[in-house]
C-alpha cells in the first residue's frame, strides 16, 4: 500500500481522475470497478471533462460497480444505477451494455450475487478498482465484521452507514434501505490495481485506522494492506491523523511513478 497526500480535495480527486484517464488511454478495453458516494462525484465530473475537452473515449471499457441498494422501487432515482447514469454514463460514450451494477430488485438476490461474481470473472477480472471509505471503515458496503475473504452478497447496513447515507434520502435515515448487494472484501482484493480516495476532516480518523492500524474485519478497508498494488489518495484534511506523513510526501515528490502527476 502507498499513501499520496494532495493539498486540496480537488487535487486529490484530480489525481484519481488522471490515473483513471491514463489507464483507459493505455488499455482502451480496461475493466474498471466504480464506486458511488459524494467523494466520487468530483472524479466523475473531471472524467466527463476529459471526455469532452480531450476526447478520452470510454467506448471500449467494461464497468462493474461495487454495490447497489436492495428493494428500492423500480425507476427510483436513489439507486446507484441512477447515480452512475446521471453523474457519469450519460455524459460519455460508454456502451450501456458494458456497464454492470448488481440488480437490487432481483427475485433471487443470492443468485444475483453469484451471477455478478460470474460476470466479473467472464470479463477477465477487474483491472482498476476505485473505492471510497465509509465512516465505519467500509469499502463497498462491507460493514464491520465482514469476512476478509467475502464475495458478493447481501449485507445489512450498519446504523452509522445509514446515518452517513441519509443525506441522499432527504436527510431521513428511515428512507435509507436496510440492505444492499455489495462486492465482498475478497472480490475487491482480486482487482489488479486499487485506488482509494478519501477527502475531508470526517475521514481523517478512519483513514488513519485503516491504513496504519491492524488489519481487522471491524474495518474492511484495513484489508487493503494485504493488496500488492493499492494507492490511498487523501487530501490534507483527511491526512491529519496519519503518523508517517513525511514518508508519504517523500514518495510522491521523489518516486519516478509520480513524476507525471506533479
Ligand atoms: C459507494 C460505496 C461506499 C462509499 C463510502 C464513502 O458505492 O461503496 O463504500 O464509497 O461510503 O461514501 P462518501 O463518498 O459519500 O463519503
Amino acid at each position: 500500500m502507498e499513501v499520496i497526500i494532495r493539498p486540496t480535495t480537488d487535487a486529490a480527486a484530480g489525481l484519481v481522475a488522471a490515473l483513471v484517464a491514463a489507464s483507459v488511454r493505455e488499455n482502451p478495453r480496461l475493466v474498471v470497478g466504480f464506486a458511488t458516494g459524494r467523494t466520487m462525484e468530483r472524479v466523475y465530473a473531471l472524467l466527463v471533462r476529459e471526455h469532452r475537452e480531450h476526447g478520452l473515449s470510454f467506448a471500449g471499457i467494461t464497468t462493474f460497480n461495487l454495490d447497489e441498494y436492495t428493494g428500492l422501487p423500480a425507476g427510483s432515482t436513489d439507486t446507484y444505477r441512477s447515480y452512475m447514469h446521471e453523474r457519469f454514463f450519460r455524459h460519455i460514450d460508454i456502451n450501456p451494455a458494458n456497464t454492470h451494477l448488481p440488480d437490487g430488485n432481483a427475485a433471487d438476490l443470492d443468485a444475483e450475487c453469484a451471477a455478478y461474481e460470474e460476470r466479473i470473472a467472464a470479463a477477465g477480472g477487474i483491472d482498476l478498482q476505485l473505492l471510497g471509505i465509509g465512516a465505519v471503515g467500509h469499502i463497498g458496503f462491507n460493514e464491520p465484521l465482514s469476512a476478509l475473504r467475502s464475495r458478493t452478497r447481501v449485507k445489512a447496513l450498519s446504523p452509522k452507514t445509514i446515518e452517513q447515507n441519509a443525506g441522499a434520502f432527504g436527510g431521513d435515515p428511515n428512507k435509507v434501505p436496510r440492505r444492499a448487494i455489495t462486492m465482498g472484501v475478497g472480490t475487491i482484493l482480486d482487482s489488479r490495481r486499487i485506488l482509494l480516495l478519501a477527502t475531508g476532516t470526517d475521514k481523517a480518523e478512519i483513514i488513519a485506522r485503516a491504513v496504519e492500524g491492524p488489519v481487522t474485519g471491524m474495518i474492511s478497508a484495513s484489508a487493503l494492506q494485504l493488496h500488492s498494488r493499492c494507492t490511498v489518495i487523501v487530501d490534507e484534511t483527511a491526512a491529519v491523523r496519519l503518523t508517517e506523513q513525511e514518508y508519504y510526501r517523500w514518495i510522491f515528490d521523489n518516486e519516478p511513478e509520480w513524476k507525471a502527476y506533479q
Side-chain angles (χ1 to χ4, degrees):
M1 179 185 273
E2 61 190 347
V3 177
I4 301 297
I5 304 171
R6 303 306 297 128
T8 61
T9 305
D10 226 42
L15 179 57
V16 172
L19 289 164
V20 173
S23 301
V24 173
R25 285 204 169 90
E26 194 183 307
N27 175 10
R29 302 191 62 80
L30 201 74
V31 180
V32 193
F34 283 127
T36 61
R38 283 154 301 168
T39 315
M40 287 299 156
E41 288 178 7
R42 186 70 189 133
V43 174
Y44 298 133
L46 290 169
L47 287 172
V48 169
R49 198 167 81 188
E50 195 62 23
H51 169 69
R52 286 191 179 142
E53 294 178 10
H54 300 111
L56 176 64
S57 174
F58 295 94
I61 73 165
T62 298
T63 73
F64 288 92
N65 265 76
L66 281 167
D67 41 22
E68 179 63 279
Y69 291 116
T70 64
L72 284 173
S76 163
T77 54
D78 292 322
T79 62
Y80 285 164
R81 165 64 75 185
S82 170
Y83 171 111
M84 292 306 293
H85 179 73
E86 285 305 317
R87 290 174 177 78
F88 194 28
F89 295 156
R90 79 184 176 93
H91 305 287
I92 58 173
D93 60 345
I94 201 161
N95 177 356
N98 292 341
T99 65
H100 304 275
L101 285 95
D103 177 0
N105 277 319
D108 183 339
L109 292 175
D110 291 340
E112 170 63 10
C113 294
Y116 202 64
E117 287 278 337
E118 278 165 25
R119 276 189 272 166
I120 294 171
I126 293 170
D127 295 310
L128 177 65
Q129 177 68 55
L130 301 196
L131 298 173
I133 184 171
V136 290
H138 70 202
I139 47 177
F141 275 130
N142 290 288
E143 302 298 274
L145 287 186
S146 286
L148 301 187
R149 300 175 68 175
S150 50
R151 310 302 304 185
T152 303
R153 68 212 184 290
V154 177
K155 196 74 192 157
L157 305 189
S158 70
K160 218 168 165 183
T161 295
I162 289 169
E163 196 185 308
Q164 176 198 296
N165 289 6
F169 293 83
D172 182 356
N174 294 317
K175 293 201 175 126
V176 181
R178 278 348 195 214
R179 303 165 86 217
I181 293 179
T182 181
M183 280 186 203
V185 182
T187 319
I188 293 168
L189 290 179
D190 283 349
S191 313
R192 293 179 190 95
R193 184 168 194 200
I194 296 179
L195 302 176
L196 184 147
L197 174 64
T199 57
T201 324
D202 290 357
K203 299 288 169 72
E205 175 71 30
I206 196 67
I207 272 291
R209 291 173 69 196
V211 169
E212 295 181 339
V215 174
T216 166
M218 284 298 286
I219 299 174
S220 62
S222 69
L224 298 172
Q225 295 176 32
L226 302 170
H227 195 275
S228 52
R229 209 158 169 237
C230 174
T231 306
V232 172
I233 297 165
V234 290
D235 65 0
E236 286 289 351
T237 57
V240 291
R241 302 296 295 271
L242 293 166
T243 58
E244 296 295 331
Q245 288 182 43
E246 194 187 330
Y247 175 54
Y248 310 146
R249 290 180 205 282
W250 190 93
I251 300 266
F252 187 73
D253 292 342
N254 294 281
E255 285 298 293
E257 184 189 350
W258 299 107
K259 280 276 173 286
Y261 300 96
Q262 276 155 13

